[in-house]
Structures are given as C-alpha cells and as structure tokens.
Amino acid sequence: MENTDLVQVTGVLLAAGAGTRLGRGPKALLPHTGRPLVEIIADNLLAGGCHEVVVVLGAEAQAVSAGANLKPYRTLVNHKWPSGMGSSYLIGDAAANADDHILVALVDQPGLTVRTVSRLLVSHRPGRITSAAYAAPDNLGMLRRGHPMVIDVRLRPAVASTVVGDAGARSFLRQKPWLVDLIDCSDESTGEDVDTVEQMRRLL
C-alpha cells in the first residue's frame, strides 16, 4: 500500500551514552565494519529517507565529534546525559522541524539498516507511531517492539510530555498501544542493543 503522507521525516539519533559496562568508551565510537557506529547509523538514516538527521551526543562529546565524520548532520550535546535517554530524546525532538515526523534511533543498534528505515517510512500511517519489531527468541511467531520508530508529527507533543528519566517514549507507548503499528524487520536484524561485552563480540 502506497503511503500518501507527504510530511518529511527528521531522523533523531540518540548517541549520548557512556558505554560504561563495555569499558570501551562511548558506544557512539564502537567500531563496526571499520567505522564508528554513530557514523554508520546516521548515514543509514539519511540514506533510508530521512531528509535531515539530528545526532544527540553526550558522554565524551568532543571525542565522538573528532572520531566520527558527522559533518553532514546536525549535532547537539546533551549535558544532562547521565539523567537518562529521556533528556536526549527531548533535545532531539525540540531540534527537529516542528512540521516533521521524527524517526528515533539508538546508536547501539548495529543491525539498523537502510532497508529498515525505508520500510518504516513507507509503512507509516498519519496519526500513528510506526515501530520496528523483531521476532522474540522465546516466543515463536510473536514480535517484540523495538527501534527505530517513527513518531507522527501530530503525536510529538503528547509523547514529549510523558518523557522522563531513561524511559524515552515508553510511557506513552504503554498508555496508548492502539496507536502503534509494528513492522516486522526480523529479516534485517535481531533488533538487539549492544549492552554487554558478549553482545558486542557477537554483533559488531
């Protein structure tokens, strides 16, 4: 089904975390196929159809800016990054054009592909949230909601009003699950984050 929604989409890449558990510095600079994760994922958001990408840095922001080519993108620094992902979300949301949908992505998902981004944008319906979903390893046939996700311009203020701490948009999604469309992206990725050394070795 063709998407007739002509609203543009700003990609918001949340890349502020320190990656303390990995002991390798900021997750944004984790190497993947010879380049920093933050650079690869920002490139994929743009190539997938976002007309602009806002990258929200935090921990060791200067080192990340120096270690990755982010010149094509708008970079912002969240000085309150230790408070959790929510503060980065709000900075990215505020920076995006008020007339755009936003596509929210996490820097620690090396499986995020151009095709995943494109699939979400094509599938998005007005007034909805469109979320990548992945096969649950312990639930045959079931999908679990993940990232990235497209938040409709009409819903951005309502979502932002619920964002606190490290939860991001989770509170809104739990309150109004009927507004969320799950798009199966299991053929592109497991949807896993890189949170442990074991995951880093397996996914990077």
Side-chain angles (χ1 to χ4, degrees):
M1 181 175 65
E2 184 180 357
N3 180 13
T4 57
D5 185 359
L6 299 180
V7 178
Q8 291 185 308
V9 180
T10 294
V12 175
L13 177 53
L14 306 184
T20 306
R21 281 179 287 181
L22 297 176
R24 294 278 299 271
K27 288 183 177 181
L29 288 179
L30 285 174
H32 184 46
T33 63
R35 293 197 295 153
L37 263 179
V38 65
E39 184 181 310
I40 293 172
I41 295 178
D43 287 354
N44 287 351
L45 296 185
L46 193 65
C50 295
H51 81 101
E52 180 183 31
V53 177
V54 175
V55 182
V56 184
L57 304 177
E60 300 184 45
Q62 286 187 331
V64 175
S65 295
N69 178 19
L70 298 177
K71 291 180 181 178
Y73 312 113
R74 189 143 52 108
T75 57
L76 303 170
V77 179
N78 175 15
H79 297 287
K80 298 180 179 179
W81 65 265
S83 67
M85 181 175 62
S87 56
S88 292
Y89 176 98
L90 292 175
I91 287 173
D93 177 62
N97 188 306
D99 296 325
D100 286 2
H101 306 317
I102 59 172
L103 183 143
V104 181
L106 308 181
V107 78
D108 61 353
Q109 289 192 311
L112 190 157
T113 67
V114 171
R115 287 184 296 271
T116 294
V117 174
S118 177
R119 185 177 300 174
L120 293 179
L121 298 188
V122 169
S123 301
H124 183 68
R125 296 188 291 160
R128 310 281 297 172
I129 290 176
T130 308
S131 175
Y134 306 92
D138 56 348
N139 237 325
L140 191 62
M142 298 292 290
L143 292 174
R144 56 182 177 82
R145 176 173 49 79
H147 284 85
M149 64 177 62
V150 181
I151 298 176
D152 194 274
V153 62
R154 301 160 186 82
L155 298 178
R156 281 175 56 187
V159 173
S161 72
T162 68
V163 173
V164 292
D166 201 37
R170 194 179 306 148
S171 177
F172 182 89
L173 298 173
R174 286 176 175 170
Q175 291 170 15
K176 301 190 176 182
W178 59 87
L179 290 177
V180 182
D181 294 323
L182 298 182
I183 306 301
D184 191 355
C185 296
S186 304
D187 59 322
E188 292 296 318
S189 167
T190 63
E192 285 185 86
D193 302 341
V194 179
D195 288 325
T196 66
V197 173
E198 180 184 351
Q199 286 175 316
M200 180 177 67
R201 289 171 178 162
R202 186 170 68 247
L203 296 175
L204 292 183

